[in-house]
Amino acid sequence: MSKSTSIKSSFLNQSFATMLAKVRINYIKSNLHLKDINKKINVLEVGPGYGHLSREIISKYKIENYDAIEYDINCHKQLNEYGINSYTKIKDLNFVN
């Protein structure tokens, strides 16, 4: 595979992931009934990958706390740059009652 083909493939993969995230956020918005849309919310996302859906959620809602369980540690740096607390295992989360 040539460098040019690799770049195009990467761009298409990123574009597809972004488009899919936008479809998902529209589904969430149509099914999430927040009484106070200005209220800050807490988010727990399982399997966010590199954060395509996460970015959409962050751009649409006021976030109090955003935690993510992502097995692939290669994704953690990107998620942390978005302000997301990333964990490899759910048992690493501190749940407060």
Side-chain angles (χ1 to χ4, degrees):
M1 182 182 293
S2 72
K3 185 176 180 180
S4 172
T5 304
S6 177
I7 292 170
K8 287 179 185 175
S9 177
S10 177
F11 174 76
L12 289 175
N13 288 339
Q14 293 294 324
S15 296
F16 177 76
T18 300
M19 182 272 312
L20 186 58
K22 289 181 180 186
V23 168
R24 289 177 174 167
I25 196 70
N26 285 334
Y27 177 81
I28 290 169
K29 283 174 34 180
S30 69
N31 290 287
L32 182 66
H33 305 288
L34 294 176
K35 291 180 181 177
D36 184 2
I37 199 68
N38 294 317
K39 182 179 178 183
K40 288 188 174 186
I41 61 172
N42 294 305
V43 177
L44 172 60
E45 185 176 0
V46 178
Y50 286 101
H52 296 285
L53 178 60
S54 309
R55 285 193 320 250
E56 290 296 316
I57 291 172
I58 290 167
S59 73
K60 304 284 187 225
Y61 297 101
K62 294 180 181 179
I63 306 297
E64 177 77 28
N65 188 48
Y66 202 123
D67 294 316
I69 309 296
E70 177 52 61
Y71 177 75
D72 185 351
I73 60 171
N74 296 314
C75 300
H76 286 209
K77 181 180 177 186
Q78 184 70 46
L79 295 170
N80 293 334
E81 288 177 7
Y82 297 142
I84 299 169
N85 307 309
S86 54
Y87 305 91
T88 305
K89 299 176 183 173
I90 196 163
K91 69 179 183 177
D92 296 334
L93 279 166
N94 288 324
F95 290 104
V96 178
N97 293 334

